[in-house]
Amino acid sequence: MLPRGLRARAVLPLALPTVLASCALGAYLSPQTALERRVNGLYEGIGVGGTGRVPYRLTLTIQQREGRATAVLVNDESRKAYAGSGTFQATGDGGALELKFFENGDQHRANLHATVIGTKVSGTLRTVLLGRELLGYVVELNKVSDSTTVPATTAPVPQPAPTPAVP
């Protein structure tokens, strides 16, 4: 029979491949759930309310396990952007969103009460003034991209001036 220290050294080479294989397997596991991959992304659409139709763009990221959601809402008419955070409650193929949006980090401007089903976000966006919800917009947003990065505006690229031919 081998002494205790030698037994441990003899078992280590046998256990090493198993330990290393499990590390390699963990490297291939996705950090996102299937629902997160399906829901996270860029949505565009229209809000209809008392002041008319307003185009919106929403970049949405959910964390299903924690029940949280973060978003950036852009009013494409005024070009104002609002940072939002709140809750996400998963239900089947989608879930329920409750988000609060802020301008300049500390000015509460709107609340979104919506559902996500498939590739659509539908609900009510209510403006907030002095802590109270006022005007409501019925919003219908459709997913346009799985990316959570907002595409840059397409500005014309200046062309270099042609170099004169030397005689």
Side-chain angles (χ1 to χ4, degrees), residues 30-41 43 60-68 88 90 92-94 116 143 146 148:
S30 174
Q32 292 185 331
T33 67
L35 182 60
E36 289 170 345
R37 285 190 300 277
R38 198 168 44 251
V39 170
N40 293 348
Y43 295 79
L60 178 63
T61 304
I62 64 161
Q63 295 173 322
Q64 182 182 4
R65 293 175 195 104
E66 289 83 22
R68 293 189 305 213
F88 176 80
D93 190 29
V116 180
K143 191 170 187 180
D146 287 334
T148 54

Side-chain angles (χ1 to χ4, degrees), residues 40-56:
N40 293 348
L42 179 64
Y43 295 79
E44 291 181 349
I46 300 291
V48 179
T51 61
R53 295 168 51 94
V54 179
Y56 289 106

Side-chain angles (χ1 to χ4, degrees), residues 40-147:
N40 293 348
L42 179 64
Y43 295 79
E44 291 181 349
I46 300 291
V48 179
T51 61
R53 295 168 51 94
V54 179
Y56 289 106
R57 190 171 352 139
L58 177 74
T59 304
L60 178 63
T61 304
I62 64 161
Q63 295 173 322
Q64 182 182 4
R65 293 175 195 104
E66 289 83 22
R68 293 189 305 213
T70 58
V72 174
L73 180 70
V74 177
N75 178 326
D76 280 339
E77 191 171 81
S78 68
R79 297 285 185 212
K80 287 188 175 184
Y82 306 91
S85 64
T87 61
F88 176 80
Q89 180 67 42
T91 57
D93 190 29
L97 282 172
E98 294 290 329
L99 295 168
K100 291 183 177 186
F101 287 98
F102 294 85
E103 184 177 19
N104 298 326
D106 63 347
Q107 299 167 5
H108 186 194
R109 294 293 188 216
N111 293 330
L112 177 64
H113 312 282
T115 58
V116 180
I117 299 174
T119 60
K120 287 187 178 278
V121 173
S122 304
T124 304
L125 179 68
R126 294 193 165 280
T127 59
V128 174
L129 183 63
L130 301 173
R132 300 186 80 138
E133 288 186 355
L134 299 175
L135 293 175
Y137 292 86
V138 175
V139 292
E140 293 285 330
L141 307 171
N142 294 305
K143 191 170 187 180
V144 294
S145 171
D146 287 334
S147 174

